[in-house]
Structures are given as C-alpha cells and as structure tokens.
Amino acid sequence: GHPLSSVLEWTIARSNKLSPENVISFSSRTIPVMAILRKNLLEKKKTQIAYTGSLPNCFDADLLNTIYGYQFDLKMVKHISDISKFDGSTIFISEQSDMCDITLNPQIDFFISTNAQYGSIITVNGEQNHSYISEIQHVRRRETIAMTPINALSVLNILVGNSSEKINI
C-alpha cells in the first residue's frame, strides 16, 4: 500500500487490538472476497459468506461461481451475533458508511467492510487464518491496489469525527 492506506490499516488494527498485518485495505470491493475464495478453492475448504440486509450490488454470486468456479454458501443473518460455527471459512460482508466499525466475533474468520465510494477493508480474524494474509496481500499487489490516498484520508477523517466529505488535493 501507500503511506495513508498503511496508516488507516494500522489505526484500525490498533483500535481492534490486532496486528497491523491483519487489516488490508482495497480500492476494490470484491477482490478481498475473491482472494479468500481462491485460496479455499485450491485447498478444497468450504466457505460461508454471511451478511445482514443485502449483499453489496457489486457482489455477483453467479459470476463468481460460473466464471471462477468458486463454491460458497450465502447466509443472510439478522445480526452478526447470529452467525454460528461453520466447518470452513466464514466471511462476513458489511456495506457501511463507517468502514472502521469492525465487529469481530470468534465465528467470523474475515470481516469485510465495504463502501461504494471508498472500497473495502478486510480484517483477518484469528491465528488460524494467519496463512491467508500473504495470499490476500499477493492478490492485492497483482490484481488491484490499496485504497487510494484520497479515499484513505476520507476514511481516516470519518474515523476521527471530521467531515465525511472528500478533501480536494
């Protein structure tokens, strides 16, 4: 990433008592999910994608299955605490204005906060998922970019209570 995305990742990690390497920002809203699905496909590991309300408009389950062959179960829940233990990886996707509002629970392996304007932030939860970090970073380096500097700055401003308006540089 670049300095502002690194500061954003470090800040979110610190506020959630995580290692900074466990928080990865993206300009893309779908690539973080694809990185996990890719690793799980290669390792023949099941994946559950949980969400509240509805999935982000950019998420196309049929396309992910048809084009890439990714297999996963979709599970709509009323509340994040309704997610039960799953034999495989559990991804929780949350479309939200405050991307830094991360709710970790032991049943969630990956918390992905998305925002149509800014991109996404993935939080890798639990030591058992440490091997995913380098895979996710690899996909970010090869397939997309970190959250852009202006968007990272905007999200940092929201985090500290400043205006959510983009700053013109």
Side-chain angles (χ1 to χ4, degrees), residues 103-168:
T103 304
L104 296 178
N105 97 29
Q107 307 308 332
I108 297 172
D109 297 297
F110 308 95
F111 186 106
I112 301 177
S113 173
T114 69
N115 181 285
Q117 186 174 0
Y118 303 122
S120 63
I121 300 169
I122 182 170
T123 305
V124 179
N125 190 28
E127 188 61 37
Q128 74 277 10
N129 297 310
H130 193 267
S131 66
Y132 284 84
I133 294 169
S134 63
E135 301 277 343
I136 294 166
Q137 289 282 14
H138 173 79
V139 169
R140 183 175 79 176
R141 281 190 306 273
R142 299 285 184 210
E143 306 297 330
T144 188
I145 59 172
M147 187 179 291
T148 64
I150 191 68
N151 288 347
L153 180 60
S154 294
V155 173
L156 283 164
N157 273 312
I158 292 168
L159 179 66
V160 298
N162 288 344
S163 171
S164 62
E165 296 296 314
K166 283 193 171 187
I167 297 171
N168 294 322

Side-chain angles (χ1 to χ4, degrees), residues 4-16 18-20 23:
L4 277 175
S5 69
S6 296
V7 169
L8 175 63
E9 294 163 2
W10 178 84
T11 302
I12 293 170
R14 184 172 172 119
S15 67
N16 288 282
L18 296 169
S19 170
V23 180

Side-chain angles (χ1 to χ4, degrees), residues 49-55 74-78 83 91-93:
I49 300 174
Y51 59 96
T52 56
S54 62
L55 286 165
L74 291 174
K75 183 176 184 179
M76 187 176 89
V77 295
K78 284 189 173 196
I83 298 173
I91 301 169
F92 182 77
I93 300 176

